[in-house]
Amino acid sequence: MSAAPNRPALLGGQPSRPAGPPPWPRSEPWLTEALHEAIRDGSWGRYHGPWCGRLAEALRQAMQREHVQLTCSGTAAVELALRALGVRADDEVLLSAYDFKGNFQDVLALGATPVLVDVCPDTFALDVSLVPSALTPRTKAVIASHLHGAQVDMRRLTELLRGTGVGVLEDACQAPLATVQGRIAGGWGDVATLSFGGSKLLTAGRGGAVLTNQPEIAQRLRLYTQRGNDAFPMSEMQAAALLPQLARLPEENVRRAEAVEWLRQRLAHSPADWPSGMLTPLFTPTTDSTAVYYKLGLRYAGGAELPRGLLTRAARAEGLALDGGLRALHKTHASRRYRAATPLPCATLADETVLTLHHPVLLESPPAWGQVVAGCARIWQHREALREWWSQQTGGPDTSPEI
Ligand SMILES: *Cc1c(COP(=O)(O)O)cnc(C)c1O
């Protein structure tokens, strides 16, 4: 084993971030105060109080949507949104073959068939140009997810589907308040979803929302969720914790985006001399599309010299929250569960090459971002020693990406 002082932590060196990734969710005085207030006014334990109403109104304003239905999770939000679009048993729902697993399961939960469409080779977002060939008379809806900071071409998708009766569900769970081609993410779809799960940018441990401008969709959501009580409820305590986070979201989104631009520069010219294009963000913001980063998605091109699973394992040892991306849906489900509308080579590539950097470090400062680059650089410099270490381990590294 190398005795170089810059040895990777996996091989016994000092970790780049000895304390590990920054904790999430945060512990902040303003969060404590918000929760105390919900305790003081008694609403924390009540069915009804002021907080859910306030949050729904704040989301209506921030997202510029007429109707907001708060829910118990993002997964429930997606299922409800599909129902509200009229998806039923034996319908088909198009989605990217590289998407959040829950979206696929939500389609199945309605008895409908997920129809997998390949992704764009650069952003790994739904390839809208393939949608026409995937449509059949049974197609009822398309799920468009903005993942890992990348965005679906919503203008083209909505133009394509105009007048066809096929609904668009815009999944903004990972991109709250991103700007997508001049509109707030969620503003293109017939219906949009948000998640407030424990790792998300707006978090209450659990929770979600469905948003729409269309009264018929809002009416169907109400009919399905209101059963004398709310069948998929958010609690007052969750809403109380979310309100002050929503107020801070625009400013924090800007700070995270600045961090990503800093990283984009440094990762392109690493001190470790790695090949150009070895770690490239999946998406480049433009004047009318500003990205929001829940996870910064990176394309990893160094797998032939350093397997991705070994890189992420070494990164974890460095104290960096750098992991493999999602599993592609056709790689993890039996083929009788879905129909593949197109060949899926780019989704396979995404399955194999995406890395994601979890967001909390992006709210820190250049020294912390520098630790990410330095950690990756030292791992790359010592790739041979790492491979040697790996070959000595029984079974080799876990190459299956973490979800
Ligand atoms: C997190 C997420 C969801 C829903 O997640 P929950 O954990 O159920 O709140 C849906 N779609 C995407 C893209 C997500 O990232």
Side-chain angles (χ1 to χ4, degrees):
M1 198 179 285
S2 145
N6 197 27
R7 245 181 355 198
L10 191 60
L11 303 181
Q14 172 75 2
S16 303
R17 278 188 72 104
W24 195 269
R26 300 173 276 190
S27 169
E28 298 280 357
W30 46 267
L31 267 168
T32 310
E33 183 44 39
L35 287 168
H36 273 169
E37 215 174 316
I39 289 171
R40 279 196 296 271
D41 70 10
S43 59
W44 69 274
R46 295 205 179 108
Y47 288 110
H48 301 290
W51 302 99
C52 284
R54 282 182 201 158
L55 177 64
E57 179 54 29
L59 283 171
R60 243 170 51 81
Q61 299 284 337
M63 300 275 294
Q64 296 170 19
R65 299 284 91 186
E66 283 299 312
H67 306 277
V68 176
Q69 172 76 48
L70 301 176
T71 63
C72 54
S73 73
T75 303
V78 170
E79 182 179 331
L80 289 168
L82 290 171
R83 275 189 195 282
L85 287 172
V87 174
R88 285 160 206 251
D90 301 325
D91 287 339
E92 291 188 341
V93 175
L94 272 49
L95 75 165
S96 152
Y98 183 82
D99 199 354
F100 187 73
K101 181 186 172 76
N103 291 355
F104 182 93
Q105 297 290 341
D106 281 335
V107 175
L108 290 178
L110 297 179
T113 304
V115 174
L116 302 184
V117 178
D118 205 17
V119 292
C120 295
D122 48 352
T123 61
F124 295 144
L126 178 73
D127 187 341
V128 173
S129 72
L130 300 174
V131 166
S133 66
L135 295 171
T136 73
R138 289 168 60 198
T139 313
K140 193 73 188 182
V142 178
I143 302 176
S145 296
H146 305 304
L147 294 177
H148 304 336
Q151 302 184 350
V152 177
D153 184 348
M154 295 304 297
R155 178 175 287 124
R156 187 157 173 206
L157 180 65
T158 49
E159 269 167 17
L160 244 164
L161 295 177
R162 188 166 303 139
T164 61
V166 175
V168 176
L169 191 173
E170 191 174 0
D171 183 345
C173 287
Q174 297 197 0
L177 301 190
T179 307
V180 178
Q181 296 167 311
R183 294 192 195 177
I184 293 171
W188 290 94
D190 297 296
V191 61
T193 52
L194 292 175
S195 163
F196 308 124
S199 63
K200 298 289 157 84
L201 297 176
L202 296 170
T203 180
R206 300 284 174 179
V210 190
L211 303 99
T212 185
N213 268 357
Q214 298 178 23
E216 326 79 73
I217 290 181
Q219 174 65 4
R220 282 196 216 115
L221 283 169
R222 271 192 299 274
L223 279 175
Y224 193 76
T225 57
Q226 303 310 311
R227 303 177 185 179
N229 58 359
D230 186 348
F232 303 89
M234 172 179 285
S235 74
E236 285 292 304
M237 207 159 25
Q238 287 168 295
L242 286 164
L243 260 171
Q245 295 179 66
L246 181 58
R248 284 164 173 79
L249 183 64
E251 188 252 330
E252 292 184 344
N253 279 345
V254 169
R255 280 169 54 203
R256 282 186 285 262
E258 284 168 1
V260 169
E261 290 319 302
W262 192 99
L263 284 166
R264 186 192 304 276
Q265 302 293 323
R266 303 311 189 284
L267 292 171
H269 310 285
S270 148
D273 248 3
W274 57 44
S276 75
M278 194 182 86
L279 279 173
T280 318
L282 298 180
F283 187 73
T284 307
T286 63
T287 45
D288 68 349
S289 296
T290 61
V292 161
Y293 297 97
Y294 156 65
K295 305 234 182 223
L296 165 61
L298 299 159
R299 174 198 288 270
Y300 176 53
E305 286 186 68
L306 179 68
R308 184 183 58 168
L310 183 52
L311 169 65
T312 56
R313 187 152 169 187
R316 278 279 167 190
E318 296 296 335
L320 310 178
L322 188 68
D323 295 297
L326 303 169
R327 293 305 317 276
L329 297 167
H330 65 296
K331 292 285 175 188
T332 48
H333 295 91
S335 56
R336 65 187 152 76
R337 309 274 267 162
Y338 62 85
R339 181 168 76 76
T342 64
L344 303 170
C346 297
T348 299
L349 191 67
D351 181 83
E352 292 166 356
T353 62
V354 169
L355 286 168
T356 58
L357 180 67
H358 196 37
H359 63 84
V361 72
L362 302 177
L363 280 188
E364 297 200 328
S365 51
W369 310 333
Q371 288 168 335
V372 175
V373 179
C376 291
R378 86 207 283 212
I379 291 168
W380 183 253
Q381 270 162 355
H382 293 81
R383 59 194 179 282
E384 244 168 76
L386 283 163
R387 278 205 320 268
E388 218 167 279
W389 171 87
W390 162 38
S391 65
Q392 286 159 11
Q393 308 295 305
T394 47
D398 177 9
T399 49
S400 66
E402 275 176 52
I403 298 180

mmCIF file of all heavy atoms in Angstrom, residues 71-78 99-103 106 143 145-148 171-175 193-200 205-208 294 326, ligand 1:
data_model
loop_
_atom_site.group_PDB
_atom_site.id
_atom_site.type_symbol
_atom_site.label_atom_id
_atom_site.label_comp_id
_atom_site.label_asym_id
_atom_site.label_seq_id
_atom_site.Cartn_x
_atom_site.Cartn_y
_atom_site.Cartn_z
ATOM 1 N N THR A 71 -50.213 16.633 0.593
ATOM 2 C CA THR A 71 -50.355 15.179 0.723
ATOM 3 C C THR A 71 -49.348 14.630 1.736
ATOM 4 O O THR A 71 -48.476 15.352 2.222
ATOM 5 C CB THR A 71 -50.111 14.458 -0.617
ATOM 6 O OG1 THR A 71 -48.763 14.703 -1.026
ATOM 7 C CG2 THR A 71 -51.055 14.942 -1.699
ATOM 8 N N CYS A 72 -49.469 13.339 2.009
ATOM 9 C CA CYS A 72 -48.604 12.695 3.002
ATOM 10 C C CYS A 72 -47.239 12.328 2.437
ATOM 11 O O CYS A 72 -46.313 12.048 3.202
ATOM 12 C CB CYS A 72 -49.302 11.453 3.541
ATOM 13 S SG CYS A 72 -49.818 10.318 2.239
ATOM 14 N N SER A 73 -47.089 12.303 1.111
ATOM 15 C CA SER A 73 -45.782 12.008 0.509
ATOM 16 C C SER A 73 -45.782 12.424 -0.951
ATOM 17 O O SER A 73 -46.849 12.652 -1.550
ATOM 18 C CB SER A 73 -45.457 10.510 0.598
ATOM 19 O OG SER A 73 -46.240 9.774 -0.319
ATOM 20 N N GLY A 74 -44.585 12.470 -1.515
ATOM 21 C CA GLY A 74 -44.472 12.739 -2.936
ATOM 22 C C GLY A 74 -44.983 11.559 -3.760
ATOM 23 O O GLY A 74 -45.561 11.738 -4.830
ATOM 24 N N THR A 75 -44.762 10.371 -3.254
ATOM 25 C CA THR A 75 -45.240 9.185 -3.970
ATOM 26 C C THR A 75 -46.773 9.190 -4.046
ATOM 27 O O THR A 75 -47.342 8.923 -5.113
ATOM 28 C CB THR A 75 -44.737 7.909 -3.254
ATOM 29 O OG1 THR A 75 -43.306 7.968 -3.190
ATOM 30 C CG2 THR A 75 -45.146 6.657 -3.990
ATOM 31 N N ALA A 76 -47.426 9.529 -2.933
ATOM 32 C CA ALA A 76 -48.886 9.659 -2.953
ATOM 33 C C ALA A 76 -49.296 10.784 -3.894
ATOM 34 O O ALA A 76 -50.302 10.676 -4.617
ATOM 35 C CB ALA A 76 -49.416 9.917 -1.546
ATOM 36 N N ALA A 77 -48.520 11.866 -3.919
ATOM 37 C CA ALA A 77 -48.841 12.992 -4.796
ATOM 38 C C ALA A 77 -48.835 12.543 -6.257
ATOM 39 O O ALA A 77 -49.742 12.897 -7.037
ATOM 40 C CB ALA A 77 -47.845 14.130 -4.580
ATOM 41 N N VAL A 78 -47.834 11.747 -6.638
ATOM 42 C CA VAL A 78 -47.749 11.283 -8.026
ATOM 43 C C VAL A 78 -48.931 10.357 -8.343
ATOM 44 O O VAL A 78 -49.576 10.474 -9.393
ATOM 45 C CB VAL A 78 -46.394 10.580 -8.286
ATOM 46 C CG1 VAL A 78 -46.387 9.878 -9.638
ATOM 47 C CG2 VAL A 78 -45.257 11.596 -8.200
ATOM 48 N N ASP A 99 -35.894 6.896 -14.111
ATOM 49 C CA ASP A 99 -36.779 7.753 -13.311
ATOM 50 C C ASP A 99 -36.869 7.195 -11.893
ATOM 51 O O ASP A 99 -36.426 6.063 -11.616
ATOM 52 C CB ASP A 99 -38.175 7.829 -13.947
ATOM 53 C CG ASP A 99 -38.986 9.029 -13.449
ATOM 54 O OD1 ASP A 99 -38.527 9.751 -12.537
ATOM 55 O OD2 ASP A 99 -40.100 9.235 -13.971
ATOM 56 N N PHE A 100 -37.462 7.990 -11.034
ATOM 57 C CA PHE A 100 -37.688 7.608 -9.646
ATOM 58 C C PHE A 100 -38.559 6.351 -9.619
ATOM 59 O O PHE A 100 -39.607 6.303 -10.257
ATOM 60 C CB PHE A 100 -38.378 8.775 -8.935
ATOM 61 C CG PHE A 100 -38.531 8.614 -7.461
ATOM 62 C CD1 PHE A 100 -37.434 8.722 -6.608
ATOM 63 C CD2 PHE A 100 -39.778 8.366 -6.910
ATOM 64 C CE1 PHE A 100 -37.586 8.592 -5.249
ATOM 65 C CE2 PHE A 100 -39.938 8.236 -5.538
ATOM 66 C CZ PHE A 100 -38.838 8.346 -4.706
ATOM 67 N N LYS A 101 -38.107 5.364 -8.873
ATOM 68 C CA LYS A 101 -38.804 4.063 -8.859
ATOM 69 C C LYS A 101 -40.274 4.194 -8.452
ATOM 70 O O LYS A 101 -41.148 3.505 -8.980
ATOM 71 C CB LYS A 101 -38.064 3.150 -7.870
ATOM 72 C CG LYS A 101 -38.632 1.763 -7.742
ATOM 73 C CD LYS A 101 -37.892 1.020 -6.607
ATOM 74 C CE LYS A 101 -38.524 -0.305 -6.275
ATOM 75 N NZ LYS A 101 -38.224 -1.353 -7.247
ATOM 76 N N GLY A 102 -40.553 5.076 -7.508
ATOM 77 C CA GLY A 102 -41.934 5.249 -7.034
ATOM 78 C C GLY A 102 -42.883 5.648 -8.156
ATOM 79 O O GLY A 102 -44.070 5.288 -8.129
ATOM 80 N N ASN A 103 -42.383 6.395 -9.153
ATOM 81 C CA ASN A 103 -43.256 6.802 -10.259
ATOM 82 C C ASN A 103 -43.722 5.582 -11.051
ATOM 83 O O ASN A 103 -44.887 5.471 -11.441
ATOM 84 C CB ASN A 103 -42.524 7.793 -11.167
ATOM 85 C CG ASN A 103 -42.293 9.134 -10.483
ATOM 86 O OD1 ASN A 103 -42.767 9.348 -9.357
ATOM 87 N ND2 ASN A 103 -41.574 10.022 -11.128
ATOM 88 N N ASP A 106 -46.221 3.743 -8.955
ATOM 89 C CA ASP A 106 -47.510 4.447 -8.916
ATOM 90 C C ASP A 106 -48.366 4.084 -10.133
ATOM 91 O O ASP A 106 -49.579 3.920 -10.027
ATOM 92 C CB ASP A 106 -47.293 5.959 -8.879
ATOM 93 C CG ASP A 106 -46.931 6.457 -7.474
ATOM 94 O OD1 ASP A 106 -47.287 5.785 -6.485
ATOM 95 O OD2 ASP A 106 -46.294 7.513 -7.375
ATOM 96 N N ILE A 143 -45.309 11.109 -17.728
ATOM 97 C CA ILE A 143 -44.644 11.670 -16.551
ATOM 98 C C ILE A 143 -43.320 12.268 -17.001
ATOM 99 O O ILE A 143 -42.496 11.587 -17.610
ATOM 100 C CB ILE A 143 -44.369 10.593 -15.473
ATOM 101 C CG1 ILE A 143 -45.683 9.925 -15.033
ATOM 102 C CG2 ILE A 143 -43.652 11.205 -14.272
ATOM 103 C CD1 ILE A 143 -45.483 8.787 -14.033
ATOM 104 N N SER A 145 -40.086 13.993 -15.402
ATOM 105 C CA SER A 145 -39.395 14.261 -14.136
ATOM 106 C C SER A 145 -38.139 15.074 -14.389
ATOM 107 O O SER A 145 -37.326 14.707 -15.237
ATOM 108 C CB SER A 145 -38.949 12.955 -13.479
ATOM 109 O OG SER A 145 -40.041 12.172 -13.130
ATOM 110 N N HIS A 146 -37.982 16.129 -13.616
ATOM 111 C CA HIS A 146 -36.731 16.900 -13.657
ATOM 112 C C HIS A 146 -35.800 16.308 -12.601
ATOM 113 O O HIS A 146 -36.012 16.511 -11.403
ATOM 114 C CB HIS A 146 -37.003 18.371 -13.358
ATOM 115 C CG HIS A 146 -38.032 18.990 -14.265
ATOM 116 N ND1 HIS A 146 -37.903 18.985 -15.636
ATOM 117 C CD2 HIS A 146 -39.201 19.621 -14.001
ATOM 118 C CE1 HIS A 146 -38.958 19.604 -16.175
ATOM 119 N NE2 HIS A 146 -39.760 19.992 -15.204
ATOM 120 N N LEU A 147 -34.776 15.576 -13.045
ATOM 121 C CA LEU A 147 -33.938 14.812 -12.113
ATOM 122 C C LEU A 147 -32.510 15.319 -12.062
ATOM 123 O O LEU A 147 -31.944 15.697 -13.097
ATOM 124 C CB LEU A 147 -33.874 13.348 -12.544
ATOM 125 C CG LEU A 147 -35.162 12.524 -12.491
ATOM 126 C CD1 LEU A 147 -34.891 11.131 -13.039
ATOM 127 C CD2 LEU A 147 -35.711 12.443 -11.079
ATOM 128 N N HIS A 148 -31.916 15.280 -10.883
ATOM 129 C CA HIS A 148 -30.473 15.538 -10.718
ATOM 130 C C HIS A 148 -30.047 16.903 -11.266
ATOM 131 O O HIS A 148 -28.940 17.061 -11.769
ATOM 132 C CB HIS A 148 -29.643 14.478 -11.469
ATOM 133 C CG HIS A 148 -29.928 13.060 -11.095
ATOM 134 N ND1 HIS A 148 -30.469 12.678 -9.893
ATOM 135 C CD2 HIS A 148 -29.727 11.908 -11.795
ATOM 136 C CE1 HIS A 148 -30.572 11.357 -9.870
ATOM 137 N NE2 HIS A 148 -30.153 10.868 -11.001
ATOM 138 N N ASP A 171 -43.142 16.219 -12.755
ATOM 139 C CA ASP A 171 -42.647 15.846 -11.436
ATOM 140 C C ASP A 171 -41.509 16.797 -11.046
ATOM 141 O O ASP A 171 -40.390 16.683 -11.556
ATOM 142 C CB ASP A 171 -42.167 14.395 -11.454
ATOM 143 C CG ASP A 171 -41.697 13.912 -10.093
ATOM 144 O OD1 ASP A 171 -41.464 14.756 -9.211
ATOM 145 O OD2 ASP A 171 -41.561 12.685 -9.910
ATOM 146 N N ALA A 172 -41.840 17.735 -10.159
ATOM 147 C CA ALA A 172 -40.851 18.739 -9.729
ATOM 148 C C ALA A 172 -40.333 18.433 -8.325
ATOM 149 O O ALA A 172 -39.818 19.313 -7.642
ATOM 150 C CB ALA A 172 -41.474 20.133 -9.781
ATOM 151 N N CYS A 173 -40.448 17.158 -7.906
ATOM 152 C CA CYS A 173 -40.035 16.780 -6.547
ATOM 153 C C CYS A 173 -38.577 17.138 -6.272
ATOM 154 O O CYS A 173 -38.216 17.464 -5.149
ATOM 155 C CB CYS A 173 -40.239 15.282 -6.339
ATOM 156 S SG CYS A 173 -41.978 14.813 -6.172
ATOM 157 N N GLN A 174 -37.736 17.053 -7.311
ATOM 158 C CA GLN A 174 -36.316 17.340 -7.112
ATOM 159 C C GLN A 174 -35.960 18.768 -7.533
ATOM 160 O O GLN A 174 -34.788 19.142 -7.436
ATOM 161 C CB GLN A 174 -35.455 16.357 -7.919
ATOM 162 C CG GLN A 174 -35.631 14.918 -7.485
ATOM 163 C CD GLN A 174 -34.505 14.015 -7.965
ATOM 164 O OE1 GLN A 174 -33.573 14.464 -8.626
ATOM 165 N NE2 GLN A 174 -34.586 12.744 -7.611
ATOM 166 N N ALA A 175 -36.944 19.508 -7.996
ATOM 167 C CA ALA A 175 -36.613 20.820 -8.574
ATOM 168 C C ALA A 175 -37.571 21.922 -8.138
ATOM 169 O O ALA A 175 -38.064 22.685 -8.961
ATOM 170 C CB ALA A 175 -36.605 20.704 -10.103
ATOM 171 N N THR A 193 -46.099 17.817 -9.221
ATOM 172 C CA THR A 193 -45.943 17.234 -7.885
ATOM 173 C C THR A 193 -44.678 17.752 -7.207
ATOM 174 O O THR A 193 -43.685 18.062 -7.864
ATOM 175 C CB THR A 193 -45.851 15.693 -7.958
ATOM 176 O OG1 THR A 193 -44.830 15.336 -8.903
ATOM 177 C CG2 THR A 193 -47.164 15.081 -8.390
ATOM 178 N N LEU A 194 -44.753 17.816 -5.870
ATOM 179 C CA LEU A 194 -43.607 18.145 -5.024
ATOM 180 C C LEU A 194 -43.481 17.080 -3.945
ATOM 181 O O LEU A 194 -44.475 16.446 -3.581
ATOM 182 C CB LEU A 194 -43.804 19.507 -4.334
ATOM 183 C CG LEU A 194 -43.789 20.762 -5.207
ATOM 184 C CD1 LEU A 194 -44.115 21.984 -4.356
ATOM 185 C CD2 LEU A 194 -42.441 20.938 -5.901
ATOM 186 N N SER A 195 -42.269 16.908 -3.430
ATOM 187 C CA SER A 195 -42.034 16.000 -2.301
ATOM 188 C C SER A 195 -41.376 16.765 -1.157
ATOM 189 O O SER A 195 -40.527 17.629 -1.395
ATOM 190 C CB SER A 195 -41.106 14.860 -2.721
ATOM 191 O OG SER A 195 -40.568 14.207 -1.567
ATOM 192 N N PHE A 196 -41.784 16.442 0.055
ATOM 193 C CA PHE A 196 -41.150 17.017 1.242
ATOM 194 C C PHE A 196 -40.531 15.913 2.092
ATOM 195 O O PHE A 196 -40.512 15.970 3.324
ATOM 196 C CB PHE A 196 -42.184 17.825 2.045
ATOM 197 C CG PHE A 196 -42.927 18.843 1.210
ATOM 198 C CD1 PHE A 196 -44.317 18.838 1.154
ATOM 199 C CD2 PHE A 196 -42.237 19.783 0.459
ATOM 200 C CE1 PHE A 196 -45.008 19.762 0.364
ATOM 201 C CE2 PHE A 196 -42.908 20.707 -0.333
ATOM 202 C CZ PHE A 196 -44.302 20.691 -0.377
ATOM 203 N N GLY A 197 -40.023 14.870 1.419
ATOM 204 C CA GLY A 197 -39.382 13.751 2.104
ATOM 205 C C GLY A 197 -38.113 14.192 2.828
ATOM 206 O O GLY A 197 -37.604 15.305 2.627
ATOM 207 N N GLY A 198 -37.592 13.299 3.660
ATOM 208 C CA GLY A 198 -36.516 13.637 4.589
ATOM 209 C C GLY A 198 -35.206 14.088 3.982
ATOM 210 O O GLY A 198 -34.392 14.700 4.671
ATOM 211 N N SER A 199 -34.976 13.768 2.704
ATOM 212 C CA SER A 199 -33.712 14.182 2.090
ATOM 213 C C SER A 199 -33.898 15.383 1.171
ATOM 214 O O SER A 199 -32.932 15.933 0.664
ATOM 215 C CB SER A 199 -33.138 13.026 1.266
ATOM 216 O OG SER A 199 -34.021 12.705 0.210
ATOM 217 N N LYS A 200 -35.143 15.783 0.953
ATOM 218 C CA LYS A 200 -35.427 16.775 -0.086
ATOM 219 C C LYS A 200 -35.069 18.193 0.354
ATOM 220 O O LYS A 200 -34.812 18.452 1.523
ATOM 221 C CB LYS A 200 -36.907 16.691 -0.487
ATOM 222 C CG LYS A 200 -37.299 15.334 -1.091
ATOM 223 C CD LYS A 200 -36.712 15.125 -2.482
ATOM 224 C CE LYS A 200 -36.590 13.689 -2.886
ATOM 225 N NZ LYS A 200 -37.760 13.061 -3.448
ATOM 226 N N GLY A 205 -39.637 15.464 6.719
ATOM 227 C CA GLY A 205 -39.534 14.024 6.929
ATOM 228 C C GLY A 205 -40.374 13.275 5.924
ATOM 229 O O GLY A 205 -39.906 12.371 5.240
ATOM 230 N N ARG A 206 -41.636 13.675 5.830
ATOM 231 C CA ARG A 206 -42.597 13.125 4.866
ATOM 232 C C ARG A 206 -43.428 14.277 4.341
ATOM 233 O O ARG A 206 -43.474 15.339 4.947
ATOM 234 C CB ARG A 206 -43.516 12.109 5.529
ATOM 235 C CG ARG A 206 -42.802 10.922 6.119
ATOM 236 C CD ARG A 206 -42.377 9.971 5.051
ATOM 237 N NE ARG A 206 -41.557 8.891 5.600
ATOM 238 C CZ ARG A 206 -41.079 7.906 4.856
ATOM 239 N NH1 ARG A 206 -41.322 7.872 3.564
ATOM 240 N NH2 ARG A 206 -40.357 6.964 5.400
ATOM 241 N N GLY A 207 -44.148 14.035 3.274
ATOM 242 C CA GLY A 207 -45.068 15.051 2.777
ATOM 243 C C GLY A 207 -44.895 15.297 1.299
ATOM 244 O O GLY A 207 -43.881 14.911 0.703
ATOM 245 N N GLY A 208 -45.897 15.909 0.701
ATOM 246 C CA GLY A 208 -45.847 16.225 -0.720
ATOM 247 C C GLY A 208 -46.971 17.163 -1.083
ATOM 248 O O GLY A 208 -47.735 17.612 -0.210
ATOM 249 N N TYR A 294 -31.174 19.192 -6.042
ATOM 250 C CA TYR A 294 -31.420 18.306 -4.911
ATOM 251 C C TYR A 294 -30.249 17.332 -4.833
ATOM 252 O O TYR A 294 -29.656 17.106 -3.791
ATOM 253 C CB TYR A 294 -32.757 17.599 -5.121
ATOM 254 C CG TYR A 294 -32.892 16.286 -4.390
ATOM 255 C CD1 TYR A 294 -32.891 16.239 -3.003
ATOM 256 C CD2 TYR A 294 -33.027 15.098 -5.089
ATOM 257 C CE1 TYR A 294 -33.014 15.028 -2.339
ATOM 258 C CE2 TYR A 294 -33.159 13.894 -4.438
ATOM 259 C CZ TYR A 294 -33.142 13.861 -3.060
ATOM 260 O OH TYR A 294 -33.257 12.665 -2.409
ATOM 261 N N LEU A 326 -29.819 6.769 -9.850
ATOM 262 C CA LEU A 326 -30.939 5.837 -9.766
ATOM 263 C C LEU A 326 -30.616 4.591 -10.573
ATOM 264 O O LEU A 326 -29.759 4.614 -11.446
ATOM 265 C CB LEU A 326 -32.197 6.493 -10.358
ATOM 266 C CG LEU A 326 -32.637 7.816 -9.732
ATOM 267 C CD1 LEU A 326 -33.727 8.454 -10.600
ATOM 268 C CD2 LEU A 326 -33.143 7.588 -8.328
HETATM 269 C C1 LIG B 1 -38.543 12.022 -3.866
HETATM 270 C C2 LIG B 1 -39.244 11.918 -5.172
HETATM 271 C C3 LIG B 1 -40.599 11.547 -5.281
HETATM 272 C C4 LIG B 1 -41.508 11.242 -4.113
HETATM 273 O O1 LIG B 1 -40.902 10.914 -2.963
HETATM 274 P P1 LIG B 1 -41.468 10.743 -1.482
HETATM 275 O O2 LIG B 1 -40.270 10.233 -0.802
HETATM 276 O O3 LIG B 1 -42.592 9.793 -1.539
HETATM 277 O O4 LIG B 1 -41.910 12.073 -0.953
HETATM 278 C C5 LIG B 1 -41.142 11.479 -6.544
HETATM 279 N N1 LIG B 1 -40.426 11.764 -7.634
HETATM 280 C C6 LIG B 1 -39.132 12.145 -7.562
HETATM 281 C C7 LIG B 1 -38.416 12.484 -8.809
HETATM 282 C C8 LIG B 1 -38.492 12.216 -6.335
HETATM 283 O O5 LIG B 1 -37.211 12.565 -6.290
#
